[in-house]
Amino acid sequence: MKIYINGKFYEKEDAKISVFDHGLLYGDGVFEGIRAYNRLVFKLKEHIVRLYESAHTIMLKIPMSREQMIKATVATLKVNHLSDAYIRLVVTRGEGDLGLDPRKCNGHATVIIIADKVKLYPEKLYNDGLAIVTVATVRNLPEALNPQIKSLNYLNNILAKIEAINFGCEEAIMLDALGYIAEATGDNIFIVKKGELYTPPQCMGTLRGITRDSVLEIASKNRIPAHEHVMTRHELYNADECFLTGTAAEIIPVVKVDGRAIGTGKPGTLTRSLISKFRALTKKTGVRY
Ligand code: PXG
């Protein structure tokens, strides 16, 4: 496996960065997780835009243009001969000293691109659905660390994930400070009620997920009413269907929340139809390489 670091490719064993990198010392940096299907990078431009927006907000200057980042991503896929892949773009503040002042890094950001084989969830989970729990860890407040920034600081999500694991579940739903549903630890959430889709608005401490946007796009094309609306656990428990969306998980059905069966307790028909429409979309759209 060859890994891109600051313009050069290194073998996995030699792909190393400094212990003084502020990405490690402070989680000071941003990242993206992207997927390629059958030599097509899905929504590459959207991921690059989000990466540069995250960087802009934390005042991190990425030392290459968006076009160069796209080229480097494609080059990493090609050099690794991957047709289906999971791609991780990481940009850190760079090497500094043991102080959190970002000026110590002298504007020398570290750019890393890793392309690996996709580790798919077992198909059984897509057929049977997930049991999940809502957890006590509140999603970061937008006015503290805005969830729109895909930063290297993921402890908020990791703490929620640990709670889910302690409950014997694979995934957690985090609420915002007012108790409204925010999102899962690495996925957005949708519910279906009376044939209509609902997902929390992005202002509720929810990352504007690119898979979430794709589902909204599919819904609009297929005249399925979809709403960005606040919801409480009550609406979630009483939904007809529920599913999570994310680059890694794609669309995964949820059949139980906090011990309550959702709808029939089986993946719903609209969820199943969205899964097949999403899979068809990933097969035919994207940047070809
Ligand atoms: N919410 C959060 C907090 C996320 O981190 C999503 C929603 C879904 O967004 P996209 O754009 O992917 O539909 C994410 C994305 C990982 C991993 O390694 C996590 C994400 C993406 C890629 C990999 O766990 N999270």
Side-chain angles (χ1 to χ4, degrees), residues 99-120:
L100 61 79
D101 186 341
R103 290 173 299 187
K104 298 287 174 54
C105 302
N106 297 317
H108 294 137
T110 305
V111 179
I112 302 166
I113 307 176
I114 307 168
D116 202 355
K117 291 195 182 73
V118 259
K119 285 172 214 79
L120 289 173

Side-chain angles (χ1 to χ4, degrees), residues 31-34 47 50 86-88 121 139 147 150 154 157 161 174 183-189 206-213 245-248 250:
F31 80 101
E32 273 299 320
I34 311 173
H47 283 284
R50 192 168 66 183
Y86 179 76
I87 306 141
R88 172 66 55 98
Y121 284 114
R139 186 73 178 107
K150 258 189 96 74
Y154 250 49
N157 314 54
K161 186 86 170 181
M174 304 170 82
E183 59 179 337
T185 63
D187 298 299
N188 291 111
I189 184 165
T206 302
L207 177 74
R208 183 162 167 204
I210 289 164
T211 320
R212 172 185 180 275
D213 275 353
T245 64
T247 297
E250 302 178 313

Side-chain angles (χ1 to χ4, degrees), residues 266-279:
K266 299 247 155 59
T269 43
L270 184 52
T271 305
R272 283 181 184 284
S273 134
L274 288 168
I275 290 173
S276 68
K277 287 189 171 72
F278 179 77
R279 286 185 174 168

